[in-house]
Amino acid sequence: TPDMESPLSLTIATLNCNGIRASERRGFSDWLTRTRPDVLCLQEVPRRLFGGARVARFARACGLEWHGGHRGSGGTTILTSGRVECLGLSHHRLPVRWPDRTRGYAVARVAVPGGAEVSVASVHLGLRADERVRHVQRIVSALPGLAGPDGPDRVPGHLVVAGDLNEEQGGQAFLTLVA
């Protein structure tokens, strides 16, 4: 929402950061300064040796907080601003066919000023169309608020899904997600 001073507004952004390459940090920083997200969904964060330290440094450089633990996420995570309270963060892997790179999603539950709760998912889907549809079906069945009114993961508040779907807006995974 453009009105950053409203206590119930929330700005959510998504970025495929391609491993947080050092040469791109300035571009990201400029974009983040203009966007000022309360929640930043990231895809393709560093996962290997020292990956966590690189994500933490990137978060600090952007003036955001990282609540850690992105192992098993297929390279996804979520950063938050000090304007929201992170109530929980989880990371999940999606199955892919070898030799494809792993994919996954992260889910953060945040409280915004005024007390409203929002669950935000950062997703990175596979490269194959049939795989993307299976990924969306798996994510939808697991996400808080989408498991059904009696589902074990049901939480109060709203749900936002953002990320790299690896397909156009009219693709089958996109249509499955918005149905």
Side-chain angles (χ1 to χ4, degrees):
T1 334
D3 180 12
M4 293 299 295
E5 301 308 315
S6 170
L8 297 179
S9 71
L10 183 68
T11 300
I12 300 172
T14 186
L15 176 67
N16 184 320
C17 62
N18 191 21
I20 310 176
R21 307 238 189 271
S23 62
E24 297 171 322
R25 285 187 187 164
R26 283 182 290 282
F28 291 160
S29 179
D30 294 344
W31 175 76
L32 288 168
T33 299
R34 289 189 310 276
T35 307
R36 295 184 348 168
D38 296 305
V39 179
L40 178 60
C41 297
L42 294 174
Q43 303 84 46
E44 293 193 28
V45 297
R47 296 177 280 175
R48 305 278 184 251
L49 188 62
F50 306 116
R54 291 179 63 201
V55 174
R57 274 194 310 274
F58 178 72
R60 283 191 303 274
C62 297
L64 297 170
E65 297 176 44
W66 180 50
H67 304 278
H70 70 300
R71 290 181 60 99
S73 72
T76 60
T77 198
I78 299 175
L79 308 179
T80 59
S81 76
R83 209 173 80 82
V84 298
E85 178 185 359
C86 184
L87 303 173
L89 178 62
S90 61
H91 297 85
H92 312 273
R93 182 165 288 170
L94 295 168
V96 294
R97 191 170 69 189
W98 188 87
D100 291 353
R101 291 188 64 165
T102 60
R103 303 295 173 171
Y105 65 102
V107 180
R109 196 163 52 102
V110 299
V112 299
E117 290 185 17
V118 178
S119 292
V120 180
S122 173
V123 304
H124 195 189
L125 304 183
L127 299 175
R128 295 177 173 84
D130 61 328
E131 187 175 75
R132 288 191 297 270
V133 171
R134 286 193 306 275
H135 286 171
V136 166
Q137 290 168 341
R138 185 179 202 138
I139 292 166
V140 165
S141 70
L143 280 177
L146 290 182
D150 300 320
D153 294 324
R154 182 95 175 145
V155 296
H158 302 280
L159 172 67
V160 175
V161 178
D164 186 343
L165 302 184
N166 277 316
E167 73 176 17
E168 298 295 324
Q169 189 170 355
Q172 192 59 46
F174 176 85
L175 295 175
T176 302
L177 186 59
V178 298

Short mmCIF file of all heavy atoms in Angstrom, two decimals, residues 38 55-56 59 64-70 77-82 84-91 108-110:
data_model
loop_
_atom_site.label_atom_id
_atom_site.label_comp_id
_atom_site.label_asym_id
_atom_site.label_seq_id
_atom_site.Cartn_x
_atom_site.Cartn_y
_atom_site.Cartn_z
N ASP A 38 7.89 -3.75 3.84
CA ASP A 38 7.79 -4.27 5.20
C ASP A 38 8.16 -5.74 5.21
O ASP A 38 8.69 -6.25 6.19
CB ASP A 38 6.36 -4.11 5.73
CG ASP A 38 5.98 -2.65 5.84
OD1 ASP A 38 6.71 -1.90 6.51
OD2 ASP A 38 4.96 -2.26 5.25
N VAL A 55 23.31 -13.91 3.41
CA VAL A 55 21.93 -13.44 3.51
C VAL A 55 21.80 -12.44 4.66
O VAL A 55 21.17 -11.39 4.51
CB VAL A 55 20.94 -14.62 3.68
CG1 VAL A 55 19.53 -14.11 3.93
CG2 VAL A 55 20.97 -15.53 2.46
N ALA A 56 22.41 -12.74 5.79
CA ALA A 56 22.35 -11.84 6.95
C ALA A 56 22.99 -10.49 6.62
O ALA A 56 22.45 -9.43 6.97
CB ALA A 56 23.03 -12.48 8.16
N ALA A 59 20.65 -8.55 4.35
CA ALA A 59 19.52 -8.00 5.11
C ALA A 59 19.93 -6.73 5.85
O ALA A 59 19.23 -5.71 5.79
CB ALA A 59 18.99 -9.05 6.10
N LEU A 64 16.90 -4.36 6.72
CA LEU A 64 15.85 -5.32 7.04
C LEU A 64 16.38 -6.37 8.00
O LEU A 64 17.58 -6.45 8.24
CB LEU A 64 15.34 -5.99 5.75
CG LEU A 64 14.70 -5.04 4.74
CD1 LEU A 64 14.45 -5.76 3.41
CD2 LEU A 64 13.40 -4.47 5.29
N GLU A 65 15.48 -7.17 8.54
CA GLU A 65 15.86 -8.22 9.47
C GLU A 65 15.66 -9.57 8.82
O GLU A 65 14.68 -9.79 8.11
CB GLU A 65 14.99 -8.15 10.73
CG GLU A 65 15.14 -6.88 11.52
CD GLU A 65 14.18 -6.82 12.69
OE1 GLU A 65 14.03 -7.85 13.39
OE2 GLU A 65 13.57 -5.77 12.88
N TRP A 66 16.61 -10.48 9.06
CA TRP A 66 16.46 -11.85 8.61
C TRP A 66 16.40 -12.70 9.87
O TRP A 66 17.24 -12.58 10.75
CB TRP A 66 17.63 -12.27 7.74
CG TRP A 66 17.54 -13.67 7.24
CD1 TRP A 66 16.46 -14.25 6.64
CD2 TRP A 66 18.55 -14.66 7.30
NE1 TRP A 66 16.75 -15.55 6.31
CE2 TRP A 66 18.03 -15.83 6.71
CE3 TRP A 66 19.85 -14.69 7.78
CZ2 TRP A 66 18.75 -17.00 6.58
CZ3 TRP A 66 20.57 -15.86 7.66
CH2 TRP A 66 20.03 -17.00 7.06
N HIS A 67 15.43 -13.58 9.91
CA HIS A 67 15.20 -14.39 11.10
C HIS A 67 15.82 -15.78 10.98
O HIS A 67 15.56 -16.64 11.80
CB HIS A 67 13.70 -14.44 11.41
CG HIS A 67 13.14 -13.07 11.56
ND1 HIS A 67 13.23 -12.32 12.71
CD2 HIS A 67 12.54 -12.26 10.65
CE1 HIS A 67 12.69 -11.13 12.52
NE2 HIS A 67 12.27 -11.07 11.29
N GLY A 68 16.67 -15.95 9.96
CA GLY A 68 17.53 -17.11 9.81
C GLY A 68 16.88 -18.39 9.35
O GLY A 68 15.69 -18.45 9.07
N GLY A 69 17.75 -19.40 9.24
CA GLY A 69 17.31 -20.76 8.98
C GLY A 69 16.70 -21.03 7.63
O GLY A 69 15.56 -21.45 7.56
N HIS A 70 17.43 -20.84 6.55
CA HIS A 70 16.84 -21.09 5.24
C HIS A 70 17.22 -22.44 4.65
O HIS A 70 16.91 -22.73 3.50
CB HIS A 70 17.18 -19.96 4.26
CG HIS A 70 18.63 -19.90 3.85
ND1 HIS A 70 19.64 -19.73 4.74
CD2 HIS A 70 19.20 -19.99 2.64
CE1 HIS A 70 20.80 -19.71 4.09
NE2 HIS A 70 20.55 -19.87 2.82
N THR A 77 13.69 -17.28 1.11
CA THR A 77 13.58 -16.82 2.48
C THR A 77 12.82 -15.50 2.48
O THR A 77 12.43 -15.00 1.43
CB THR A 77 14.96 -16.69 3.18
OG1 THR A 77 14.74 -16.63 4.60
CG2 THR A 77 15.74 -15.47 2.72
N ILE A 78 12.62 -14.95 3.66
CA ILE A 78 11.84 -13.72 3.82
C ILE A 78 12.55 -12.79 4.80
O ILE A 78 13.00 -13.23 5.86
CB ILE A 78 10.41 -14.03 4.30
CG1 ILE A 78 9.69 -14.91 3.26
CG2 ILE A 78 9.64 -12.75 4.58
CD1 ILE A 78 8.33 -15.39 3.67
N LEU A 79 12.63 -11.52 4.43
CA LEU A 79 13.18 -10.47 5.30
C LEU A 79 12.03 -9.57 5.73
O LEU A 79 11.06 -9.41 4.99
CB LEU A 79 14.23 -9.64 4.56
CG LEU A 79 15.36 -10.39 3.84
CD1 LEU A 79 16.29 -9.39 3.15
CD2 LEU A 79 16.12 -11.27 4.80
N THR A 80 12.16 -8.95 6.90
CA THR A 80 11.11 -8.05 7.38
C THR A 80 11.72 -6.73 7.85
O THR A 80 12.88 -6.68 8.24
CB THR A 80 10.31 -8.68 8.55
OG1 THR A 80 11.21 -8.99 9.62
CG2 THR A 80 9.59 -9.94 8.10
N SER A 81 10.90 -5.71 7.84
CA SER A 81 11.33 -4.42 8.37
C SER A 81 11.01 -4.39 9.86
O SER A 81 10.26 -5.23 10.37
CB SER A 81 10.60 -3.26 7.66
OG SER A 81 9.26 -3.15 8.13
N GLY A 82 11.53 -3.38 10.55
CA GLY A 82 11.25 -3.23 11.97
C GLY A 82 9.83 -2.78 12.23
O GLY A 82 9.38 -2.77 13.38
N VAL A 84 7.15 -4.35 11.26
CA VAL A 84 6.30 -5.51 11.50
C VAL A 84 7.00 -6.45 12.46
O VAL A 84 8.22 -6.45 12.58
CB VAL A 84 5.95 -6.26 10.19
CG1 VAL A 84 5.18 -5.37 9.23
CG2 VAL A 84 7.18 -6.83 9.52
N GLU A 85 6.23 -7.25 13.16
CA GLU A 85 6.78 -8.25 14.06
C GLU A 85 6.69 -9.61 13.39
O GLU A 85 5.61 -10.02 12.96
CB GLU A 85 5.99 -8.27 15.37
CG GLU A 85 6.47 -9.32 16.33
CD GLU A 85 5.59 -9.42 17.57
OE1 GLU A 85 4.60 -8.67 17.70
OE2 GLU A 85 5.91 -10.27 18.42
N CYS A 86 7.81 -10.30 13.28
CA CYS A 86 7.82 -11.64 12.71
C CYS A 86 7.41 -12.63 13.80
O CYS A 86 8.11 -12.78 14.80
CB CYS A 86 9.19 -11.99 12.14
SG CYS A 86 9.21 -13.61 11.32
N LEU A 87 6.27 -13.27 13.62
CA LEU A 87 5.75 -14.21 14.60
C LEU A 87 6.22 -15.64 14.34
O LEU A 87 6.11 -16.50 15.21
CB LEU A 87 4.22 -14.18 14.59
CG LEU A 87 3.59 -12.81 14.83
CD1 LEU A 87 2.09 -12.87 14.63
CD2 LEU A 87 3.94 -12.31 16.22
N GLY A 88 6.75 -15.88 13.15
CA GLY A 88 7.23 -17.21 12.82
C GLY A 88 7.71 -17.26 11.38
O GLY A 88 7.21 -16.52 10.53
N LEU A 89 8.70 -18.09 11.12
CA LEU A 89 9.26 -18.25 9.78
C LEU A 89 9.60 -19.72 9.59
O LEU A 89 10.26 -20.32 10.43
CB LEU A 89 10.51 -17.38 9.62
CG LEU A 89 11.26 -17.45 8.30
CD1 LEU A 89 10.39 -16.98 7.14
CD2 LEU A 89 12.54 -16.62 8.36
N SER A 90 9.13 -20.28 8.48
CA SER A 90 9.47 -21.68 8.17
C SER A 90 9.90 -21.79 6.72
O SER A 90 9.53 -20.96 5.88
CB SER A 90 8.27 -22.60 8.45
OG SER A 90 7.17 -22.23 7.63
N HIS A 91 10.69 -22.81 6.43
CA HIS A 91 11.23 -23.02 5.09
C HIS A 91 10.95 -24.45 4.66
O HIS A 91 11.06 -25.37 5.48
CB HIS A 91 12.75 -22.77 5.09
CG HIS A 91 13.10 -21.36 5.43
ND1 HIS A 91 13.22 -20.92 6.73
CD2 HIS A 91 13.33 -20.30 4.65
CE1 HIS A 91 13.53 -19.63 6.72
NE2 HIS A 91 13.61 -19.23 5.47
N ALA A 108 6.34 -16.71 6.26
CA ALA A 108 6.49 -15.88 7.46
C ALA A 108 5.10 -15.43 7.91
O ALA A 108 4.27 -15.08 7.08
CB ALA A 108 7.36 -14.66 7.18
N ARG A 109 4.90 -15.45 9.19
CA ARG A 109 3.68 -14.89 9.76
C ARG A 109 4.09 -13.61 10.47
O ARG A 109 5.00 -13.63 11.32
CB ARG A 109 3.04 -15.88 10.73
CG ARG A 109 1.60 -15.54 11.05
CD ARG A 109 0.89 -16.72 11.67
NE ARG A 109 1.63 -17.26 12.79
CZ ARG A 109 1.32 -17.04 14.07
NH1 ARG A 109 0.29 -16.29 14.39
NH2 ARG A 109 2.05 -17.56 15.02
N VAL A 110 3.49 -12.51 10.07
CA VAL A 110 3.87 -11.21 10.63
C VAL A 110 2.65 -10.51 11.22
O VAL A 110 1.52 -10.72 10.77
CB VAL A 110 4.54 -10.30 9.58
CG1 VAL A 110 5.81 -10.93 9.04
CG2 VAL A 110 3.61 -9.96 8.45
#
